[in-house]
Amino acid sequence: MSSTSKQPHGIFITGTDTGVGKTVVAAGLALALKAKGIDVGVMKPVETGCQLQNGQLLAEDALFLQKISGVGDDLSAINPYRLKDPLAPAIAAERDGVKIDLDVIRHVYLGLASRHEVVIVEGAGGLLVPLTERYFMADLARQLELPLLLVSRASLGTINHTLLSLHYARQRTLSVLGIVMNHTSPEMGLAEQTNKAALKRWADCPFLGAIPFMPVINRDTLISVFKSNLDLAPILEYLEGS
């Protein structure tokens, strides 16, 4: 893929809920695309629940993405907003006295997009998580003009959460590249065993893979697991065709 394309390339990683493993999927996707020779950037526009260390808020997810992807971009570009409380960004920002500006996020994103062939942008929670008083995560994806990659959990309830997320995305005319089911637990009950087939049956959306539970998450395990379990074809088609 040529890096001289007029239109910036990016993918917005969203989830059916919080704690579904968006950061793991974003990092794994970055490595999978890099293995294809694509220059990948990463971005976590807003991170909440940051711990205070040495007088500064530590954005663990953004640091993980930076480290795993091996990018040379400053953390301030990868993660322009760090907030203390583990809450929805709008609420955490209010408590920290911070104003989240979508135009600032877009400006930072375009800077990253000018340096990379594709930028993987990880949202916070799901599409209806409030980012500001008037804007939700779906609005950010729309403003950045990015297609979605929807991360779902494997456990009971994921069918409803996934179908609702897809329904809302379509209402907002957001393009969805596909679904990635992520096993965040080693449990393999009946729901975990059948939900993959269920989503393929009812989601009316490409199912790109089911990521198994990884007791240890590092660069080597991510490369191996995502190479074996992630179908990149719809993503590569989007990158080549847009």
Side-chain angles (χ1 to χ4, degrees), residues 131-152:
L131 188 58
T132 69
E133 183 68 26
R134 297 178 53 211
Y135 293 97
F136 298 84
M137 277 294 153
D139 296 300
L140 178 58
R142 191 173 181 84
Q143 186 185 49
L144 299 181
E145 301 178 71
L146 299 181
L148 306 177
L149 186 64
L150 180 63
V151 182
S152 69

Side-chain angles (χ1 to χ4, degrees), residues 127 150 161-173 203:
L127 291 173
L150 180 63
H161 290 172
T162 303
L163 297 185
L164 282 173
S165 297
L166 290 172
H167 178 71
Y168 182 72
R170 287 164 183 149
Q171 277 195 326
R172 297 298 310 275
T173 63

Side-chain angles (χ1 to χ4, degrees), residues 139-219:
D139 296 300
L140 178 58
R142 191 173 181 84
Q143 186 185 49
L144 299 181
E145 301 178 71
L146 299 181
L148 306 177
L149 186 64
L150 180 63
V151 182
S152 69
R153 56 192 176 93
S155 55
L156 189 65
T158 197
I159 298 172
N160 181 59
H161 290 172
T162 303
L163 297 185
L164 282 173
S165 297
L166 290 172
H167 178 71
Y168 182 72
R170 287 164 183 149
Q171 277 195 326
R172 297 298 310 275
T173 63
L174 292 167
S175 174
V176 183
L177 292 174
I179 301 165
V180 176
M181 176 185 285
N182 186 46
H183 288 258
T184 58
S185 163
E187 181 178 351
M188 282 299 291
L190 191 57
E192 287 79 6
Q193 295 174 46
T194 59
N195 276 336
K196 176 179 175 179
L199 291 184
K200 287 183 176 182
R201 179 178 178 183
W202 283 296
D204 191 24
C205 179
F207 186 90
L208 304 189
I211 306 303
F213 175 70
M214 291 177 281
V216 176
I217 300 175
N218 56 38
R219 187 181 180 89

